[in-house]
Amino acid sequence: MFFSQAGARPRTREASPSEHKKWVEVFRACDEDNKGYLSREDFKVAVVMLFGYKPSKIEADSVMSSVNPNTSGILLEEFLSIVRKKKEAQLYRNEIRHIFTAFDRHYRGYLTLEDFQKAFKQVAPKLPERIILEVFREVDQDSDGHVSFKDFEYAMNCGQNEA
């Protein structure tokens, strides 16, 4: 796929000292009994505090199943790793949204072939028209002539688990 070949993938980045401090403070605030770990419910509260949403049962199950089975919950280092990954994913999604918005010059919430052509002419002026058409058709999953943000995000994330 074109986008995965283009190398669109999240960058790993270290948390700033203030972010790290905030994450540790949230961990400690949610570990009310000073157990040294977060229970499932503690973790859900921490996610609300840091990201503003309550994690689904599936997300909580996934996190809890990845925790060291010799502990009763999520230790600080595991929590920091989980939060860093969630933050990276959030930043990457925001970056994709920003790119989509730059392509969507008419603020319609979808991209047309014309939007693709104008965008590619700016970033890759020598790219043949047939390649732009090929990319558009590939990204336009339902072949309705419009690329939704969901289609665009899917294309940008394609191949993420291959590397």
Side-chain angles (χ1 to χ4, degrees):
M1 170 163 259
F2 178 82
F3 284 101
S4 61
Q5 292 169 355
R9 67 181 66 260
R11 297 175 207 86
T12 43
R13 73 172 196 59
E14 290 301 313
S16 70
S18 63
E19 280 179 316
H20 187 269
K21 181 180 177 192
K22 179 180 179 182
W23 299 347
V24 171
E25 287 171 0
V26 167
F27 179 90
R28 290 191 176 128
C30 292
D31 179 18
E32 291 178 356
D33 301 329
N34 295 323
K35 305 174 297 285
Y37 63 86
L38 298 183
S39 68
R40 174 191 198 85
E41 290 308 310
D42 297 337
F43 171 72
K44 289 161 100 174
V45 171
V47 170
V48 170
M49 290 173 73
L50 290 171
F51 296 97
Y53 77 93
K54 182 181 175 187
S56 68
K57 181 180 179 341
I58 294 169
E59 182 178 354
D61 286 347
S62 173
V63 167
M64 295 311 288
S65 70
S66 70
V67 172
N68 182 342
N70 297 328
T71 62
S72 301
I74 304 167
L75 299 174
L76 176 60
E77 289 308 313
E78 291 171 317
F79 177 74
L80 294 174
S81 176
I82 291 165
V83 170
R84 182 183 47 77
K85 289 174 186 168
K86 287 183 73 56
K87 188 70 174 172
E88 286 173 2
Q90 184 181 50
L91 291 171
Y92 184 63
R93 190 165 199 271
N94 289 345
E95 192 175 300
I96 292 172
R97 173 63 76 180
H98 182 74
I99 294 167
F100 179 85
T101 302
F103 277 33
D104 183 16
R105 298 175 143 200
H106 301 289
Y107 307 104
R108 295 175 294 217
Y110 61 86
L111 305 176
T112 63
L113 176 59
E114 181 184 343
D115 294 327
F116 259 63
Q117 289 167 328
K118 287 181 179 176
F120 276 97
K121 287 296 174 215
Q122 287 187 338
V123 296
K126 296 183 183 199
L127 194 64
E129 200 64 36
R130 67 178 176 71
I131 299 293
I132 298 169
L133 180 60
E134 195 177 306
V135 169
F136 182 80
R137 286 182 178 155
E138 192 173 327
V139 177
D140 180 15
Q141 293 183 2
D142 57 5
S143 302
D144 65 351
H146 299 123
V147 171
S148 66
F149 175 71
K150 186 177 176 183
D151 290 339
F152 189 78
E153 183 180 37
Y154 177 81
M156 293 293 285
N157 286 323
C158 244
Q160 291 299 300
N161 297 327
E162 294 171 8

